[in-house]
Each structure stands twice: as structure tokens, then as C-alpha cells.
Amino acid sequence: MSFSLLLRRLRPGLGLDLGQRRYPGPGRPLRTVDLRSDTVSRPGPAMRAAMAAAELGDDVYGEDPTVNELQKQAAELFGMEDTLFVPSGTMGNLISAMCHCRERGAELIVGDQAHIHVHEQGGVAQIAGIHSRVVKNLPDGTFDLNEVESKIRQHYPDPHSPRTSVICLENTQNLTGGRVLPLSFLQEIRALADRYKLPVHMDGARLMNAAVALNVKASEILRLCDSVSLCLSKGLGAPVGSLIGGRKEFIEQALRVRKALGGGMRQAGVLAAAGLISLSDMVERLRDDHRNARKFAEGIQTFATSVCDVDINALETNILMFTMTDPRISPKEFCDRMAEVTEEEVSVMGCGVRVLLQQAYGCTVRAVWHLDVSEEDTDLALQKLQYVIKSIKTSNGSTKSCNS
């Protein structure tokens, strides 16, 4: 008896998840299309083989050749003097903030929708004693430059004022829908920062999505920044890791801070090998994610406008935000309906499709494309969307709140 059959007999009704295909029972194939985040992607055969074959050393001593090669290639990609491999993007941003803000009580300027401000547990304050001064992110992810300038402390070293030490950007801007910061905006921020002798840090978790969307090299974006944190485990498909880039002296200080935060990883070449595949093989394929996201958005425009609203002009990369407008179904219930599979659906569609989405905020739902979601998966997700939309239109449910 096969292991999968044995497990199904021991755990009836629970099903067995085998990658993207799930078998809840005999004759009931089920596909899962996971659009919750590009962090859910898994390393493929080439990446796993590279990890298994990686040449290793002790990276805390600077002796892991695979880590050293990754850092060398990343520096060339960024057009920066040096880079440092760290466990996560959150640590990369925290290290960068600490290197720019050398004194406790220093201040950084950051967007109100920035990952650093919203999703990193206030680590810059909690761990580093850095104060955040917030500016409003506009719908396209940018800032009003006049507001940024108004937040720069003019009176330091007056004892009442903290020292403004860095301006932080995010590209692509996650919570506004994967928006790409225009080069013209970056040039204006650079000029403003230079006027006040301030560095600019780029949370570039999805920097390569921005570079692909703009059809420029990453270095063209980063020439306007002093430091960057790039995530390898989102669209670039590595299982773990991020890279910090900057001047040589900045990275020397970052190495010290990484050690203090417990980020030294010893024989980290098994992870760096995956990062090398990310940089060599995974950048151009980001165009597939952007194209599939647009295909789904166009599907919403075609047959779901009575229930969902999408601004296709705001879709620039792999993150799609759309708004639930039908009072009969809340965003949470919509996500639940997209994820569940019924006998009726299997009979109508010929198979079961689970589409995993996230309620972002209010009435807004987020979907994110990545290397584990193919064009075929996107077509299946659209079929599921049509099925759910039809069921909503024929229902007589009560009015729902966006917070239901």
C-alpha cells in the first residue's frame, strides 16, 4: 500500500497535500493556487541541487566561498561597493537603520504604509531606540516632498529635537499594491536628502520587480540611494535570506550589527547557493508574474465588476489589490469562498480549485503572483472566481460589513 493511500485511510476526509495538487478523496482532484504572498514559493530542482552541492566555510570568519560569491555578485548588481548576506528582510532593514542612526533617540523618516513602519513590530524603536517620523504614502507609493521636508528636524542640536538621520523608501511599495517608485521621484528625494546631508535607505524587498517593471538595471535605481535591503525569498524564490548593500564602511558596520542581533549563520553557503540561483535565473521570469497578475485583473474587469472593483492602471507588478463592493459578501467571506471546495463546484468545473487570498485592510483583498503560480494556475483561479461570483449573484444573503 502506498504511503499516500495509507495516510488517507488513517485520516479520512482530511486529504493529503502533495505540492499544488490535493486529493481529498477518491476521484476528487483538487488544485491549490496560493496567492497569499510571494513568500510561499518553494525552491525548484536546480536551486535544491545548487544548495546540496554548495562549497561551505564559516561565514562568521568570512570563509564561506559561496556566501562571498553571492555578496560579490550582489554588489555588482546593485552598483554598490559591498553587500552583506543576512537572514531576513526585517533584519536587513533594522541593521540598515541602526547603521544610519548611530545614537539612540535618532530619527528616521518613513512612509505610513511602509513595511518598516507597519509590519516589523516597531523593531527600530523596540530594539534600536530609533524614533520614526511618519509621512503619508500617496496612492502610487510616493510622498509629498513638501511634507517630507517639513518633517526634517531643523533645530538640532536644540535639546528638544532628535536628529533626523535617514529617509526610508520602499520599492515596490507593498501596501499600495506593489507600486513602482518612479525614477523622477527618486531623483527628487535624492536632491532633497543631499540638501540636508541625509542618507536614503531603500527597503527593496521587491526591488527586482521594480527594475523589471521599469526595464532598467537595479543599479539605475540604487544610484539614487545610500543603502538597500533586497529580499531573496519573495519573487526571487530562495527559501531564506536578504542582502544589504552600501558603501564599504557601511557594510563593515552592518557586519558588527548583524553579529549583535544574532544574524551570523556559519556555514550559510547552503542558503547563499539558492541566492545565487535567484540572481542568475529568477529576475527575468518576474515578467511572468506581472503578466499573470494583469490577466487576473482583466478577468475581474470582464465578469466580476458587480462584486469587485479593480483599478488596473494601479497594477504595475505582481501585487493586485481589489475591493469588494457587493454588500452581500464581506472580504473575509469572499476569501473563505475562494478557498473552499464543494461537491457542486467539482461537478460544475470538473475539478476542485482552492484559491488562497488575503484580506488586506477594510474591503480590500490582496493577491500576489510568484514562481509557483503558472498561467494555467491563473486560468484556474479565474474559473474559480467566475464560479464564486455567479454564486454570489444568485444568493439572497444579508448585507455584510467589510469587517465581518
Side-chain angles (χ1 to χ4, degrees):
M1 183 185 298
S2 70
F3 174 73
S4 59
L5 179 58
L6 175 63
L7 188 57
R8 285 203 300 276
R9 289 188 177 181
L10 290 174
R11 303 173 65 194
L14 295 183
L16 176 65
D17 196 342
L18 299 175
Q20 283 200 335
R21 195 174 292 273
R22 186 181 174 97
Y23 299 88
R28 293 182 58 200
L30 184 102
R31 289 284 291 271
T32 297
V33 183
D34 195 340
L35 300 175
R36 291 171 299 166
S37 175
D38 44 9
T39 61
V40 303
S41 63
R42 296 157 298 181
M47 188 174 283
R48 288 175 182 267
M51 294 169 72
E55 187 179 356
L56 305 178
D58 191 324
D59 181 51
V60 174
Y61 289 124
E63 296 174 355
D64 190 299
T66 309
V67 172
N68 293 340
E69 180 60 25
L70 174 63
Q71 292 172 165
K72 176 184 175 184
Q73 289 194 23
E76 293 172 358
L77 177 72
F78 295 164
M80 290 181 163
E81 290 180 2
D82 206 355
T83 67
L84 182 68
F85 186 48
V86 299
S88 71
T90 295
M91 183 181 284
N93 284 328
L94 177 58
I95 290 172
S96 298
M98 292 175 71
C99 290
H100 287 303
C101 303
R102 297 293 187 91
E103 60 190 21
R104 293 185 67 82
E107 187 170 75
L108 57 79
I109 294 176
V110 65
D112 67 338
Q113 298 298 304
H115 196 277
I116 290 174
H117 183 63
V118 178
H119 289 307
E120 296 181 7
Q121 208 184 109
V124 292
Q126 181 182 173
I127 297 169
I130 299 168
H131 183 248
S132 296
R133 200 159 201 209
V134 176
V135 296
K136 183 178 178 58
N137 279 109
L138 301 176
D140 65 353
T142 64
F143 310 135
D144 181 297
L145 292 176
N146 291 326
E147 184 184 4
V148 175
E149 186 167 19
S150 74
K151 297 296 176 72
I152 297 173
R153 300 288 184 170
Q154 304 284 342
H155 304 297
Y156 184 86
D158 183 294
H160 300 89
S161 299
R163 186 205 301 257
T164 303
S165 298
V166 63
I167 299 173
C168 297
L169 309 174
E170 183 180 337
N171 199 13
T172 63
Q173 215 297 322
N174 178 6
L175 290 182
T176 57
R179 300 304 297 268
V180 178
L181 301 185
L183 290 176
S184 58
F185 168 74
L186 296 178
Q187 290 164 351
E188 291 172 334
I189 284 286
R190 178 76 268 166
L192 178 64
D194 287 345
R195 198 179 315 148
Y196 290 94
K197 297 181 172 56
L198 292 174
V200 175
H201 171 68
M202 175 71 76
D203 175 0
R206 296 179 175 88
L207 175 72
M208 301 315 300
N209 291 88
V212 166
L214 291 172
N215 203 31
V216 300
K217 294 181 178 179
S219 57
E220 179 67 13
I221 298 171
L222 294 179
R223 69 182 179 83
L224 300 165
C225 304
D226 297 279
S227 62
V228 64
S229 175
L230 169 76
C231 192
L232 297 169
S233 61
K234 292 188 171 71
L236 299 182
V240 177
S242 287
L243 288 153
I244 303 171
R247 293 185 180 276
K248 184 174 178 60
E249 302 79 26
F250 179 88
I251 296 301
E252 288 173 351
Q253 180 64 20
L255 179 62
R256 290 185 55 80
V257 177
R258 185 187 73 174
K259 181 63 176 176
L261 295 176
M265 295 183 285
R266 302 299 178 183
Q267 287 72 35
V270 290
L271 301 175
L276 286 168
I277 298 294
S278 293
L279 298 186
S280 63
D281 296 357
M282 297 296 178
V283 174
E284 282 303 309
R285 62 145 306 280
L286 293 173
R287 299 184 193 277
D288 297 338
D289 300 338
H290 299 181
R291 182 172 58 252
N292 287 330
R294 181 162 292 272
K295 184 175 188 178
F296 191 88
E298 289 170 348
I300 292 176
Q301 283 192 323
T302 300
F303 55 77
T305 52
S306 62
V307 176
C308 310
D309 180 57
V310 62
D311 180 3
I312 202 163
N313 294 321
L315 176 60
E316 296 176 327
T317 55
N318 65 321
I319 299 176
L320 173 64
M321 300 288 203
F322 57 95
T323 304
M324 304 304 301
T325 57
D326 192 315
R328 290 172 295 181
I329 186 166
S330 70
K332 181 181 184 305
E333 186 178 359
F334 174 78
C335 292
D336 290 344
R337 294 273 289 275
M338 290 290 286
E340 72 180 6
V341 174
T342 64
E343 292 287 352
E344 179 187 5
E345 175 190 332
V346 174
S347 65
V348 170
M349 295 178 55
C351 68
V353 181
R354 298 172 70 233
V355 180
L356 306 184
L357 302 163
Q358 277 192 339
Q359 180 180 357
Y361 49 83
C363 291
T364 302
V365 174
R366 187 180 88 145
V368 186
W369 273 258
H370 51 84
L371 65 89
D372 283 349
V373 180
S374 65
E375 185 176 10
E376 179 189 0
D377 292 323
T378 303
D379 290 337
L380 287 171
L382 282 169
Q383 290 179 37
K384 178 61 174 274
L385 178 65
Q386 283 185 285
Y387 175 82
V388 170
I389 294 298
K390 184 177 180 180
S391 69
I392 294 169
K393 288 180 177 179
T394 57
S395 71
N396 294 310
S398 59
T399 298
K400 303 287 185 177
S401 163
C402 286
N403 296 317
S404 298

